[in-house]
Amino acid sequence: MTCEGYFGHRTRLYEIDLYNQPEPISKIIKKSYDEGIRGINIPNNKSIFEGLDIARKEGAEMEIIGTVGHTKVNYLMPDMKKARQDADCLKDIEVLSKYDSSIMLVDDFLVDAYDWDYVSQVLQEIKDSGALAGIITSRPFETSRQLADGKLDSNLYDFYMLPINKLGYTMDVDFFIDEEQEEMSNLLNKINKKIIISRILACGIQTPKEAFTFLKTLDYADMVAVSVASEREAEQTFGTFREL
């Protein structure tokens, strides 16, 4: 599961329900654990960590995949320059290390500015901390093309998280059908990293059954990160995943 802060058209409603509220967050984590989930993708966020601490005390031990450099920059109109100014990557790495995060991913707003020298520095800091390193993108085609062309040293990262869904929603293409799907498969095979699929539910537009049925067709998916915002959503989403 992931604690990504963008849920498409439902984002504001979830902010009201969960923002700065560790108890509801802990209940979602605990319910997800009860549904068989053992890993969580989180940024350096006090409320989320407090919720995680509560859930852990109740037996919900989660492996952490941390996000480094996450900021409050608006997802709909991202200011990449401001994101870099606001990011405190060293602090994030320090905090995530205290929570034994074995994998840390550089935030998409830092990656998608395509300053590969800067991204390389952050990845090296992650590796120096003892964690495995990776990157996140919100522009799967443009970023994948650059990675396939060798713009980023492949020795610096092992994981690559990118949005993929049947509708092409929040992807940098108009459609995600046969031609686009083939190109993406070829790009990811060339990049040859562990692939983490995000936004497979198209931010809630697709049902879990629709999304996970499509996920099964993606031979390059090693992991999937799914956002849920209530205990009920966790039960429905992860229950469907198990059934398929």
Side-chain angles (χ1 to χ4, degrees), residues 197-209:
I197 302 298
S198 65
R199 304 182 195 172
I200 191 68
L201 295 168
C203 298
I205 296 175
Q206 290 220 289
T207 67
K209 184 175 182 180

Side-chain angles (χ1 to χ4, degrees), residues 20 25 35 64 80 94 103-104 108 110 158 178 213 222:
N20 286 337
I25 292 171
E35 292 293 326
I64 295 175
M80 304 296 191
E94 178 185 355
I103 302 170
M104 299 185 198
D108 46 347
L110 303 183
D158 298 293
D178 293 347
T213 298
D222 295 296

Side-chain angles (χ1 to χ4, degrees), residues 4-229:
E4 181 181 30
Y6 181 62
F7 294 89
H9 57 288
R10 301 183 298 170
T11 299
R12 182 55 183 154
L13 294 175
Y14 291 157
E15 285 179 346
I16 294 171
D17 290 340
L18 298 174
Y19 188 70
N20 286 337
Q21 298 193 61
E23 283 288 348
I25 292 171
S26 72
K27 291 179 180 179
I28 296 170
I29 294 173
K30 180 62 166 59
K31 184 62 178 178
S32 299
Y33 182 87
D34 292 342
E35 292 293 326
I37 303 304
R38 295 294 181 267
I40 183 171
N41 168 224
I42 57 177
N44 178 13
N45 179 283
K46 181 181 178 182
S47 295
I48 296 174
F49 279 125
E50 288 177 354
L52 179 63
D53 288 339
I54 295 169
R56 280 180 163 179
K57 290 178 181 178
E58 297 178 0
E61 286 291 339
M62 291 281 196
E63 294 290 331
I64 295 175
I65 298 178
T67 296
V68 171
H70 185 73
T71 65
K72 295 181 179 179
V73 169
N74 191 307
Y75 265 87
L76 296 179
M77 300 181 64
D79 183 337
M80 304 296 191
K81 183 177 181 180
K82 179 172 174 53
R84 180 165 167 177
Q85 291 172 343
D86 292 351
D88 190 344
C89 295
L90 292 179
K91 180 64 175 178
D92 292 347
I93 293 170
E94 178 185 355
V95 173
L96 289 164
S97 294
K98 291 179 180 178
Y99 275 83
D100 299 322
S101 177
S102 58
I103 302 170
M104 299 185 198
L105 311 175
V106 182
D107 188 72
D108 46 347
F109 286 173
L110 303 183
V111 171
D112 292 348
Y114 302 128
D115 183 342
W116 294 120
D117 288 338
Y118 172 73
V119 174
S120 296
Q121 292 173 15
V122 180
L123 288 169
Q124 189 60 59
E125 292 288 351
I126 292 172
K127 290 170 67 71
D128 289 346
S129 76
L132 296 173
I135 59 174
I136 305 172
T137 186
S138 289
R139 303 180 65 193
F141 277 90
E142 177 58 29
T143 302
S144 296
R145 289 168 186 147
Q146 293 204 28
L147 294 175
D149 285 342
K151 296 294 179 65
L152 179 64
D153 184 350
S154 64
N155 293 316
L156 288 173
Y157 69 106
D158 298 293
F159 294 85
Y160 181 31
M161 179 186 284
L162 69 167
I164 299 285
N165 56 75
K166 187 176 183 180
L167 303 180
Y169 187 71
T170 69
M171 297 172 63
D172 52 347
V173 287
D174 293 326
F175 303 98
F176 192 55
I177 49 181
D178 293 347
E179 182 178 344
E180 291 80 10
Q181 290 180 22
E182 182 178 2
E183 180 185 0
M184 180 56 67
S185 180
N186 291 337
L187 286 168
L188 295 181
N189 285 331
K190 185 175 181 180
I191 293 167
N192 193 29
K193 298 297 178 181
K194 293 294 184 183
I195 301 301
I196 307 173
I197 302 298
S198 65
R199 304 182 195 172
I200 191 68
L201 295 168
C203 298
I205 296 175
Q206 290 220 289
T207 67
K209 184 175 182 180
E210 291 171 330
F212 295 144
T213 298
F214 176 67
L215 177 66
K216 290 173 65 176
T217 70
L218 306 179
D219 59 3
Y220 47 75
D222 295 296
M223 290 181 270
V224 60
V226 178
S227 298
V228 292

